[in-house]
Amino acid sequence: MKQIAIVICNYNYERFIAEAIDSALAQDYPGTRVIVIDDGSTDRSREIIESYGSRIEPVFKENGGQVSAYNLGVEILDTEFAIFLDSDDVLYPGTVSEVMRQFEQHGVAKVQFRLDVVDDAGNLTGAYVPNTEPPADCASLLKKGWLYPSPPASGNAYRVGALKRVFPVPESGINRYGADFYAIYGAALTGSVATISRSLGAYRVHRSTTPSVSFANSEQITKAPKAFRERWATLRDIAHERLNLELPSAFHDFAHEKAYFGSSLYQAPVGARWRWMLNESRAYLHSIVANPFWSLKKKAGTLFLSSLCLLPYSPLSDFVIRYITNPLARRGTVEQ
């Protein structure tokens, strides 16, 4: 039987690590191993991890950031397949069996599946990610600079051989975090992607109930765009040096562009909103109009909503911006 490892990378998540480990141990696929890499936690994480004894394979390291944990995880993996599960997320029962069926049937480099978005307490918010399915051949679009729709880290399973062609990734600067960026897009450059269009796990968010344009756990909305640009540059270098592939200098991604849109227009005076739309919205509009993953109806709807932010009534403008940038704000719940 082919083996798969669930690698749980943890840092100071004593509140959630047991739930993540339990969800991994509860998988019914017999060839499942559970590896827990603790990145130098200073809370009770180590005590909790050690309490599982031989049921898991613990790895304790000095703190170096998420990328260093992924680098170590990929290095020590000796299974054919792997899932990198964030320590505050969970997998639903039967996830691994479904993922392995996809690998057997399609021979892909990566299998991705939807994740339900839950709040800090684990309650369902009614949202899920991603909301759009990519084609199997994501590499051809990546070569044109388009980042394909993917769930966050925990919603992806990889052929380990694909990961070993991409990792290790440089660990300095912006690359302390965002390791899943390289796994998600790097693996797709080595082979096809299969998508399971139902939720097989839960992605936890850690925000308040205050309405916001933020839709990211790990980085502030004003920092995320710069981080993405630097990671894309690093991925280009990796693709060139290790995969003999050339990626364009710039990339296109609505999630990235809406971060600029939201941070620039939210709670801004009407004049500033108009100036941004007239002078700085080219990339944002391109990510809508030319989006290869969206239907014409979705493009038209997003353009219409975007135009409403130019109205002089600020409460309506701010609502529209939150609606576009943060799907959870539409439900009056927490934001991602």
Side-chain angles (χ1 to χ4, degrees), residues 132-133 135 141 146-147 252 287-295 299:
T132 305
E133 293 186 15
L141 290 165
W146 284 98
L147 301 185
H252 314 290
S287 72
I288 299 171
V289 174
N291 197 308
F293 311 108
W294 287 11
S295 67
K299 293 178 183 181

Side-chain angles (χ1 to χ4, degrees), residues 43 49 57 89 93 131 146 148 153 174 192 197 210 220 256 267 271 297:
D43 61 3
I49 293 167
E57 301 171 41
D89 296 342
N131 291 284
W146 284 98
Y148 67 90
I174 201 71
S192 299
S197 57
T210 305
Q220 298 297 319
H256 170 264
Q267 297 182 335
K297 180 180 179 180

Side-chain angles (χ1 to χ4, degrees), residues 184-203:
I184 289 167
Y185 301 115
L189 291 172
T190 73
S192 299
V193 174
T195 299
I196 299 172
S197 57
R198 61 188 178 90
S199 296
L200 296 180
Y203 173 64

Side-chain angles (χ1 to χ4, degrees), residues 293-334:
F293 311 108
W294 287 11
S295 67
L296 182 60
K297 180 180 179 180
K298 185 170 182 177
K299 293 178 183 181
T302 306
L303 288 172
F304 172 73
L305 286 172
S306 299
S307 70
L308 294 180
C309 76
L310 299 176
L311 297 177
Y313 185 55
S314 295
L316 175 60
S317 172
D318 289 340
F319 171 79
V320 167
I321 294 167
R322 288 197 305 271
Y323 188 94
I324 292 172
T325 58
N326 182 356
L328 294 186
R330 307 169 194 173
R331 296 170 171 80
T333 58
V334 297

Side-chain angles (χ1 to χ4, degrees), residues 66-301:
Q66 187 193 40
V67 168
S68 72
Y70 265 60
N71 282 343
L72 178 59
V74 174
E75 178 185 353
I76 65 176
L77 278 172
D78 58 3
T79 58
E80 189 173 350
F81 306 97
I83 295 173
F84 277 76
L85 176 65
D86 284 347
S87 57
D88 57 338
D89 296 342
V90 297
L91 299 176
Y92 294 161
T95 294
V96 171
S97 293
E98 180 61 31
V99 161
M100 292 304 292
R101 278 193 289 271
Q102 294 293 321
F103 276 123
E104 290 290 338
Q105 292 172 10
H106 302 293
V108 294
K110 192 191 94 162
V111 175
Q112 66 177 50
F113 47 89
R114 278 188 353 195
L115 296 173
D116 289 326
V117 179
V118 298
D119 64 18
D120 195 74
N123 301 310
L124 291 170
T125 66
Y128 57 82
V129 286
N131 291 284
T132 305
E133 293 186 15
D137 182 17
C138 294
S140 62
L141 290 165
L142 282 166
K143 292 173 187 176
K144 297 177 182 177
W146 284 98
L147 301 185
Y148 67 90
S150 173
S154 303
N156 301 276
Y158 304 95
R159 196 173 291 271
V160 172
L163 292 179
K164 287 184 181 290
R165 296 182 65 187
V166 176
F167 286 82
V169 170
E171 299 175 11
S172 60
I174 201 71
N175 280 336
R176 280 184 60 85
Y177 308 103
D180 54 332
F181 181 94
Y182 303 104
I184 289 167
Y185 301 115
L189 291 172
T190 73
S192 299
V193 174
T195 299
I196 299 172
S197 57
R198 61 188 178 90
S199 296
L200 296 180
Y203 173 64
R204 194 185 307 267
V205 299
H206 301 283
R207 303 284 180 177
S208 70
T209 56
T210 305
S212 169
V213 294
S214 176
F215 196 56
N217 270 333
S218 59
E219 293 167 314
Q220 298 297 319
I221 193 168
T222 54
K223 296 180 180 179
K226 179 181 178 182
F228 263 59
R229 290 197 303 271
E230 294 188 19
R231 287 170 191 148
W232 177 257
T234 301
L235 182 63
R236 286 184 68 223
D237 292 340
I238 291 172
H240 173 74
E241 296 170 5
R242 303 178 195 172
L243 305 178
N244 197 30
L245 294 174
E246 299 300 327
L247 299 180
S249 58
F251 67 90
H252 314 290
D253 177 53
F254 179 71
H256 170 264
E257 296 302 335
K258 76 179 182 180
Y260 278 115
F261 170 80
S263 60
S264 300
L265 275 61
Y266 190 57
Q267 297 182 335
V270 63
R273 286 182 261 138
W274 272 92
R275 283 192 296 273
W276 189 89
M277 277 298 216
L278 290 172
N279 302 318
E280 302 179 47
S281 63
R282 180 181 178 87
Y284 173 75
L285 295 175
H286 179 77
S287 72
I288 299 171
V289 174
N291 197 308
F293 311 108
W294 287 11
S295 67
L296 182 60
K297 180 180 179 180
K298 185 170 182 177
K299 293 178 183 181

